[in-house]
Amino acid sequence: MAEVVIVPSAEAAGELVADSIAALIATKPDAVLGFATGSTPLPVYRALQSRGLDLSAVRGFALDEYVGLPPGHPESYRAVITREVVEPLGLRPELVRVPGDDGGPLEGAGGRYERDIVSAGGVDLQLLGIGRTGHIGFNEPGSSFGSLTRVKTLTVQTRADNARFFDSPDEVPTHCLTQGLGTILRARHLVLLAFGEGKAPAIAAAVEGPLTASAPGSAVQLHPRVSVVIDEAAASQLVNADYYRYAWEHRLPWENL
Ligand code: F6R
């Protein structure tokens, strides 16, 4: 079962996950981190920044990228990862990858990205947000649990949700390149974050719902090491919330995230 940790705020989640990343880097300075974009992981990046860790040997792979934005667009995930992660945290840009950023054609970009993740030794810790459609990465409902990095069509809901980052809703691309659910499941530790009531149904489906491609987040139930770090609002539809609180309060000394 996933370890579900209900925290008072997004900031508290950021600190907790930063603890876990700091512990990983202490034992493996060249750890491979899986980065998510969007609003959810920002408290983690801010908490990491405030610790001033040496992350210069860390390698990173982003979950996804829009297809069709002009090069250098400020909302391309390449630009977001540079702005929110690489520069503030002092990572080396050449060690951080985003799908499709290898200069090759879009066709075959998924396979090339998969090979690059494997050559780096796989992802040690993968940060995940979740969309209101239940997507992780941009694996919209119906995505295969075995899927690997490939082009996907975003749902109308996801395009509307992400319109806040663009000048007009029409500017949100219709397509993306995203790690598959199968790619995500190969990471050694999954950390799924969610904040706010709008994420409560997707979290309930991911953590307690049936395993189904209709709720892509439910794929995390197949993983041996998952930490779900959420605030009270995102936890509000979990049937077993009291048990998760009790289990976290009674965790054994070595049971951190
Ligand atoms: C982003 C990603 C998406 C987001 C999800 C939630 O790289 O893969 O799954 O995590 O759309 O977005 P926010 O955090 O903006 O609510």
Side-chain angles (χ1 to χ4, degrees), residues 35-41 63-64 77 128-132 135-139 158 162 164-165 178 199:
F35 296 120
T37 46
S39 308
T40 306
L63 277 171
D64 36 27
Y77 284 169
L128 296 168
I130 192 163
R132 290 201 297 163
H135 66 229
I136 53 173
F138 274 141
N139 295 282
T158 298
N162 286 8
R164 69 190 192 280
F165 296 112
T178 180
K199 299 293 176 73

Side-chain angles (χ1 to χ4, degrees), residues 106-130:
L106 180 58
E107 196 178 354
R112 298 194 304 274
Y113 201 62
E114 290 291 330
R115 281 196 291 280
D116 293 343
I117 296 174
V118 170
S119 329
V123 171
D124 291 300
L125 184 149
Q126 177 65 59
L127 294 170
L128 296 168
I130 192 163

Side-chain angles (χ1 to χ4, degrees), residues 86-162:
V86 174
E87 289 174 347
L89 301 186
L91 274 77
R92 281 165 51 204
E94 66 276 20
L95 298 184
V96 179
R97 297 286 316 283
V98 175
D101 70 351
D102 63 356
L106 180 58
E107 196 178 354
R112 298 194 304 274
Y113 201 62
E114 290 291 330
R115 281 196 291 280
D116 293 343
I117 296 174
V118 170
S119 329
V123 171
D124 291 300
L125 184 149
Q126 177 65 59
L127 294 170
L128 296 168
I130 192 163
R132 290 201 297 163
T133 64
H135 66 229
I136 53 173
F138 274 141
N139 295 282
E140 298 285 25
S143 296
S144 159
F145 284 176
S147 53
L148 301 177
T149 307
R150 73 241 183 268
V151 173
K152 284 290 286 180
T153 309
L154 295 169
T155 58
V156 171
Q157 167 90 69
T158 298
R159 290 187 68 224
D161 287 346
N162 286 8

